[in-house]
Amino acid sequence: MNNSVTNTFRLLGAGLRALLVLTLVTGVVYPLVVTGIAQGLFSDQANGSEIKADGKVVGSSLIGQSYNLPLKKGQETPEPDLKWFQGRPANGLGTNGVNTQYKLILSGATNRSGDNKDLIDWVTAAKAAVVKDNSVGGYTVKPSDVPADAVTSSGSGLDPDISPDYADIQVHRVADKNGLPVAQVQKLVDEHTDGRTLGFIGEPRVNVLELNIALKELLAKS
């Protein structure tokens, strides 16, 4: 066997050893180390920021959920279940046309400019619905009371939080639909309102899933 063939086999052997070592380090050791650190220091985030109720996982604090009534015959869009606090609109979710076996959630924004007619029509209709749904006996919501997050979807379409202003204008309606005192429902909102992160990052917010879980617990005690 001449030297060139020998050198070729040596290079192949060295390349194979490098491949095995890199595979072991980057494909086994590194993922295990990162997973171990994540589970040890940030187990809640690493496991999906799960929210539990009645001993089972009911969602994530990072992903918004819809609170709708079952679809009626002939309906394409379900009506909101007004017993519960409602989250932001999900116009940006789109539809699943790839794997039609499952109703997958597609995350995304509406990607329309501020002067787009479709967007203006959506916002106008959404504002009218918010005013109508949340105006109950003795309490009337004015169009000027409706905050932006009540009529627009977030960039992902999956925002789990709403502004305290949007939560506040829902208090009378939720109290009315559930036969609860307004003060009791307002207390729930206040207790589940988080301030800015570190005091200056972001905006005050209310996690809708956590708020509705607290509402369900309150109803169970009533």
Side-chain angles (χ1 to χ4, degrees):
M1 187 178 293
N2 57 41
N3 289 337
S4 62
V5 174
T6 302
N7 289 336
T8 299
F9 276 105
R10 286 176 180 173
L11 289 173
L12 288 173
L16 180 59
R17 288 193 297 272
L19 175 62
L20 292 175
V21 170
L22 288 172
T23 299
L24 179 64
V25 171
T26 62
V28 179
V29 176
Y30 177 74
L32 288 176
V33 169
V34 171
T35 300
I37 293 174
Q39 290 294 336
L41 300 178
F42 312 101
S43 60
D44 179 57
Q45 294 90 335
N47 291 312
S49 301
E50 297 172 339
I51 294 179
K52 294 183 179 180
D54 300 325
K56 62 182 180 181
V57 176
V58 294
S60 168
S61 63
L62 303 177
I63 301 175
Q65 296 190 19
S66 297
Y67 295 88
N68 295 325
L69 295 170
L71 271 174
K72 297 177 182 177
K73 187 176 181 179
Q75 279 187 330
E76 294 184 1
T77 304
E79 298 174 1
D81 189 343
L82 298 179
K83 294 189 304 182
W84 305 103
F85 284 92
Q86 296 293 314
R88 297 186 65 170
N91 291 336
L93 294 183
T95 55
N96 169 37
V98 179
N99 186 347
T100 55
Q101 183 178 356
Y102 303 102
K103 294 182 179 179
L104 303 178
I105 294 177
L106 304 184
S107 174
T110 54
N111 288 327
R112 286 172 168 80
S113 63
D115 60 354
N116 179 271
K117 185 179 182 304
D118 288 340
L119 180 61
I120 293 172
D121 289 344
W122 290 341
V123 170
T124 301
K127 180 175 284 192
V130 170
V131 169
K132 177 178 178 291
D133 290 343
N134 293 286
S135 294
V136 295
Y139 178 78
T140 301
V141 176
K142 297 178 292 186
S144 59
D145 296 331
V146 180
D149 62 301
V151 296
T152 57
S153 60
S154 65
S156 68
L158 301 175
D159 194 342
D161 303 320
I162 56 175
S163 66
D165 288 341
Y166 187 25
D168 286 343
I169 66 173
Q170 299 186 61
V171 166
H172 285 76
R173 182 253 298 161
V174 170
D176 180 72
K177 295 292 184 182
N178 291 287
L180 293 170
V182 170
Q184 208 170 17
V185 179
Q186 183 65 59
K187 185 170 181 284
L188 278 185
V189 172
D190 295 341
E191 290 174 346
H192 288 82
T193 298
D194 296 320
R196 292 179 172 87
T197 304
L198 300 179
F200 67 94
I201 300 174
E203 297 293 333
R205 60 201 180 278
V206 181
N207 187 283
V208 179
L209 175 56
E210 292 177 348
L211 179 58
N212 279 331
I213 289 172
L215 174 60
K216 182 179 179 181
E217 292 173 354
L218 177 61
L219 289 170
K221 296 174 183 177
S222 301

